[in-house]
């Protein structure tokens, strides 16, 4: 069975961008692939964080994944740091990755601007660890949002470099993109992000979601109600493509271009469709809050099963590297 790996950072509240860009796609793949989904905690420590709240953050992230509908009987859900082979392989990959390749990564450049006081080696090395996360399981497919495509390209490059320098043991994984691979924040400018305050939380209360949608930026050229709009320049329309039925999209597209529908009515329709999908997730999340032992058990069995495979890969890697044994 083809293998899939993907991860999410426990850096804050999971938002609807993470959900439609990645997690919802993950759920759809579990019947056809051998899927490993990880809470990537070592990635999250590349920026400032609260150590005393970190375990809770990790558990909350896992709870969100389960609430979204990931079935631990059909896939493995694990915490990255529970399988140390990820970081061991990352060191090996550091030794085949040219510095120039990581320096040119868009995420590194953006995060360096956001975290000027803490531009550490880990921040730059992030995509190398990500390559190790994927390749320690020899995964062939990586379902991610658009922002991660460049990192998966680098993963392929690292696999190629390792394979040609030593022995061809790693696959070159492919990206699987969702239908909504890039959702902008409610500011309509930057990517919706946990650490920029521009997101709609997956478990956010309905009143608060409506308040954010009501004031969200639309096509900036549509100043008056009677101005025709461009759906391709409107983040609300992008969100419709993620949350509204396919049959509604052409009607909204036409209505916007002809100014038959105003932005507020368009937002109301989106709100209805969004809350219809998020409501059951919120209910499952509140039920899961009373089952912390269940969440810990899911993570424990996920890590145990992943550890076996990761150890096998590292044995092979140590052997082809010619390390002392
Ligand atoms: N706005 C987005 N639209 C579509 N997909 C998105 N993803 C993130 N933001 C969007 C996808 O969600 C998955 C998990 O992301 P992550 O936790 O690894 O970190 P990130 O990409 O850096 O997400 P954030 O929310 O912006 O986190 P912070 O603020 O901590 O950096 C990935 O597959 C990502 O593509």
């Amino acid at each position: 069975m083809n293998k899939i790996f993907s991860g999410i950072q426990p850096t804050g509240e999971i938002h609807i961008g993470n959900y439609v860009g990645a997690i919802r796609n993950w759920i759809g793949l579990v019947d056809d692939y051998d899927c490993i989904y990880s809470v990537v905690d070592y990635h999250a420590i590349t920026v400032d964080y609260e150590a005393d709240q970190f375990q809770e953050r990790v558990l909350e992230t896992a709870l969100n994944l389960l609430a979204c509908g990931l079935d631990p009987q059909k896939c493995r859900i694990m915490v990255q740091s529970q399988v140390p082979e990820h970081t061991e392989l990352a060191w090996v990959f550091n030794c085949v990755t040219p510095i120039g390749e990581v320096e040119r990564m868009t995420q590194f450049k953006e995060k360096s601007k956001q975290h000027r006081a803490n531009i550490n080696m880990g921040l730059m090395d992030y995509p190398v660890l990500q390559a190790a996360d994927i390749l320690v399981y020899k995964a062939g497919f990586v379902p991610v949002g658009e922002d991660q495509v460049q990192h998966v390209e680098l993963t392929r490059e690292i696999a190629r470099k390792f394979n040609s320098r030593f022995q061809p043991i790693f696959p070159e994984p492919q990206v699987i993109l969702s239908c909504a691979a890039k959702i902008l924040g409610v500011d309509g400018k930057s990517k919706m992000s946990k650490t920029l305050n521009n997101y709609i939380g997956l478990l956010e209360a309905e009143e608060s979601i409506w308040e954010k949608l009501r004031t969200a930026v639309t096509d900036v050229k549509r100043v008056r109600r009677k101005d025709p709009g461009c759906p391709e320049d409107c983040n609300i329309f992008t969100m419709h493509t993620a949350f509204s039925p396919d049959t509604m999209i052409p009607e909204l597209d036409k209505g916007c271009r002809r100014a038959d529908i105003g932005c507020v009515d368009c937002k109301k329709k989106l709100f209805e469709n969004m809350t219809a999908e998020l409501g059951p997730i919120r209910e499952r999340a509140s039920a899961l809050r009373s089952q912390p032992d269940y969440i810990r058990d899911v993570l424990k069995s996920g890590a145990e099963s992943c550890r076996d495979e990761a150890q096998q890969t590292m044995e092979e890697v140590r052997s082809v590297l010619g390390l002392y044994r």
Side-chain angles (χ1 to χ4, degrees):
M1 207 177 182
N2 270 320
K3 206 171 277 179
I4 287 216
F5 179 92
S6 196
I8 184 156
Q9 298 184 76
T11 35
E13 212 179 326
I14 290 184
H15 54 70
I16 58 166
N18 299 133
Y19 173 64
V20 296
I23 303 168
R24 195 168 62 182
N25 231 9
W26 297 0
I27 297 162
L29 294 163
V30 297
D31 287 323
D32 299 323
Y33 295 86
D34 174 9
C35 299
I36 300 172
Y37 298 125
S38 180
V39 180
V40 286
D41 51 350
Y42 273 140
H43 285 287
I45 67 169
T46 58
V47 293
D48 293 337
Y49 72 103
E50 303 294 335
D52 57 344
Q53 291 163 22
F54 202 44
Q55 294 214 36
E56 272 313 306
R57 277 246 160 270
V58 169
L59 285 171
E60 180 65 20
T61 305
L63 180 147
N64 273 254
L65 297 182
L66 293 167
C68 287
L70 270 186
D71 180 352
Q73 303 297 324
K74 293 186 174 178
C75 65
R76 288 174 273 178
I77 305 174
M78 51 84 74
V79 178
Q80 182 188 34
S81 63
Q82 299 258 287
V83 181
E85 284 74 14
H86 288 231
T87 38
E88 189 179 354
L89 184 57
W91 177 256
V92 174
F93 285 167
N94 276 333
C95 303
V96 297
T97 308
I99 289 179
E101 290 293 321
V102 282
E103 275 175 338
R104 71 177 182 82
M105 291 291 114
T106 308
Q107 180 177 293
F108 173 60
K109 289 181 190 157
E110 281 172 3
K111 296 256 165 184
S112 299
K113 278 188 215 142
Q114 283 168 18
H115 304 276
R116 280 185 203 283
N118 183 16
I119 306 175
N120 57 71
M121 283 293 292
L123 202 60
M124 188 162 87
D125 211 24
Y126 187 113
V128 180
L129 177 56
Q130 191 170 340
D133 298 334
I134 298 163
L135 293 176
V136 80
Y137 303 108
K138 301 190 177 177
F141 298 93
V142 190
V144 282
E146 199 179 284
D147 58 319
Q148 294 299 323
V149 170
Q150 194 184 37
H151 286 176
V152 181
E153 277 164 9
L154 181 64
T155 298
R156 284 205 292 278
E157 165 112 32
I158 290 173
R160 274 197 295 277
K161 287 204 183 294
F162 183 97
N163 290 345
S164 70
R165 167 75 180 82
F166 300 102
Q167 278 179 40
I169 64 169
F170 290 115
E172 291 181 31
Q174 305 293 318
V175 162
I176 299 180
L177 279 185
S178 87
C179 67
K182 184 174 182 184
I183 300 283
L184 296 183
V186 287
D187 53 9
K189 286 191 202 127
S190 341
K191 183 192 84 141
M192 186 173 282
S193 165
K194 296 189 217 86
T195 41
L196 299 174
N197 195 15
N198 67 355
Y199 66 86
I200 294 178
L202 187 67
L203 305 180
E204 203 161 323
E206 288 187 5
E207 312 76 65
S208 165
I209 293 183
W210 171 244
E211 198 43 35
K212 287 187 182 172
L213 283 181
R214 192 183 66 76
T215 52
V217 174
T218 55
D219 173 7
V220 287
K221 294 183 292 311
R222 200 173 180 198
V223 182
R224 291 158 306 175
R225 168 68 181 78
K226 63 177 182 183
D227 294 338
C230 287
E232 59 274 21
D233 295 334
C234 179
N235 193 35
I236 295 295
F237 184 77
T238 310
M239 291 193 212
H240 267 295
T241 61
F243 286 101
S244 299
D246 290 347
T247 48
M248 198 185 260
I249 305 302
E251 178 195 321
L252 289 166
D253 184 286
K254 204 160 80 184
C256 176
R257 286 184 203 282
R258 292 181 178 177
D260 291 342
I261 181 171
C263 290
V264 175
D265 287 333
C266 186
K267 287 173 171 182
K268 279 184 186 156
K269 282 181 197 281
L270 173 63
F271 176 67
E272 274 168 30
N273 296 326
M274 195 183 271
T275 49
E277 183 158 348
L278 301 187
I281 296 177
R282 227 178 2 248
E283 278 166 28
R284 281 196 294 271
S286 87
L288 282 162
R289 281 198 200 290
S290 57
Q291 305 170 57
D293 291 345
Y294 167 69
I295 300 170
R296 285 183 183 278
D297 285 348
V298 166
L299 296 176
K300 184 164 179 265
S301 64
E304 276 165 5
S305 151
C306 286
R307 218 169 276 140
D308 288 344
E309 272 168 50
Q311 281 169 359
Q312 279 176 35
T313 304
M314 276 317 298
E315 263 310 298
E316 204 182 351
V317 168
R318 287 186 210 107
S319 163
V320 303
L321 286 173
L323 296 185
Y324 177 73
R325 287 139 66 72

